[in-house]
Amino acid sequence: MQVKLAIILIFWPFASVAEKLVRVSFDEITICYPKSYSPNTSFMDSILAPIKGELDDSSGQQLVYIPAQVIKNKVPEYSLSHANKYNPKVMHDINGIIYPLSTIEINGLSDNAWNIHKNIESPIIYQDQKTDFYKVFTFKKEIGPWHLVKSAPVQNSNKPKAKDWYIGFCGKLADSYNCKVNVVYKDIVYNYSLNEHNVSLYKQVQEVLLGEIKSWENACPES
């Protein structure tokens, strides 16, 4: 027993070494998330090129990339990957950018979808049979991106839209599509991609991401 205890004590310091964190402030909130969630790759560099000058470890937009398995661990129905003709295994990782709430208009796309009848005569709107959500196309024809919403927008409706009516802004990918979805926590907006295979689970995914962000708020070491 003493030998086993000695071995545990010898290895304990190595097992308890914390992962490096990225500390970043957004308006009145500061979070510290795992550095592995901001991978430094040429692929990610190309995504972030338009805002490269605004990214750092203190404030402004931050890329946050969460492996699919992290979501799967808390949402068992979450699909980890799918195969297509270009790539045998496309991982359904969550990737997106966190913005300060003060710098982004999060209701613009939602308002656009709700008022689609005012902007387009006879817009294309139909229910997606896989998810039961509705697709609201941004053009007169079924081309280009679309809004994904919970119910069809009604022409000349005087009722305000429900707070959670809008789901995301979607576009096609190889053999599938993904949607840009927002989750808001205090002064933070996380705009992330959700693959078609998991769109029906968007609410569960949002709950996981909210939990992650809350834990990051409490993860910063005292300075």
Side-chain angles (χ1 to χ4, degrees):
M1 176 64 74
Q2 291 181 345
V3 173
K4 290 183 179 179
L5 181 58
I7 293 174
I8 291 173
L9 291 175
I10 288 172
F11 285 98
W12 175 257
F14 300 96
S16 61
V17 173
E19 181 177 0
K20 290 183 179 180
L21 300 175
V22 173
R23 183 187 183 99
V24 58
S25 297
F26 302 89
D27 294 337
E28 300 300 320
I29 184 174
T30 297
I31 61 173
C32 291
Y33 62 87
K35 190 171 180 61
S36 61
Y37 284 8
S38 287
N40 182 20
T41 68
S42 57
F43 172 71
M44 291 301 174
D45 286 345
S46 65
I47 292 178
L48 295 173
I51 61 168
K52 184 176 181 180
E54 302 173 55
L55 293 171
D56 57 35
D57 285 0
S58 58
S59 63
Q61 296 94 332
Q62 280 286 324
L63 171 69
V64 175
Y65 161 97
I66 302 176
Q69 188 62 55
V70 172
I71 310 299
K72 177 76 171 178
N73 291 343
K74 297 183 178 180
V75 183
E77 303 88 352
Y78 190 84
S79 172
L80 285 175
S81 66
H82 76 277
N84 63 39
K85 61 186 177 182
Y86 303 105
N87 190 327
K89 190 176 184 180
V90 179
M91 295 303 296
H92 299 156
D93 300 317
I94 297 292
N95 62 78
I97 299 177
I98 291 183
Y99 298 88
L101 183 59
S102 62
T103 65
I104 184 171
E105 173 52 59
I106 61 173
N107 294 317
L109 290 173
S110 177
D111 291 342
N112 193 350
W114 185 252
N115 297 312
I116 194 71
H117 290 284
K118 296 179 182 179
N119 301 322
I120 299 178
E121 185 178 354
S122 300
I124 297 176
I125 304 169
Y126 63 83
Q127 190 171 24
D128 176 31
Q129 298 302 313
K130 291 184 179 179
T131 63
D132 289 334
F133 300 141
Y134 285 78
K135 292 183 176 183
V136 180
F137 282 83
T138 59
F139 297 108
K140 294 181 179 180
K141 296 183 178 181
E142 192 176 332
I143 57 173
W146 64 90
H147 306 280
L148 195 67
V149 297
K150 287 189 172 181
S151 62
V154 180
Q155 191 170 9
N156 300 321
S157 173
N158 293 322
K159 294 182 179 180
K161 62 179 182 292
K163 186 177 181 180
D164 62 347
W165 175 76
Y166 191 84
I167 297 172
F169 192 62
C170 310
K172 287 189 175 182
L173 296 174
D175 295 339
S176 68
Y177 67 84
N178 75 2
C179 299
K180 292 292 186 180
V181 184
N182 285 328
V183 61
V184 180
Y185 176 70
K186 293 187 177 181
D187 293 330
I188 288 176
V189 179
Y190 183 27
N191 181 250
Y192 60 93
S193 296
L194 191 62
N195 189 274
E196 171 194 8
H197 296 76
N198 293 305
V199 163
S200 62
L201 300 170
Y202 88 99
K203 202 67 177 179
Q204 294 95 313
V205 173
Q206 282 191 335
E207 289 300 317
V208 173
L209 295 178
L210 277 172
E212 287 284 308
I213 296 172
K214 288 178 183 178
S215 70
W216 299 340
E217 182 184 15
N218 299 318
C220 294
E222 295 184 4
S223 57

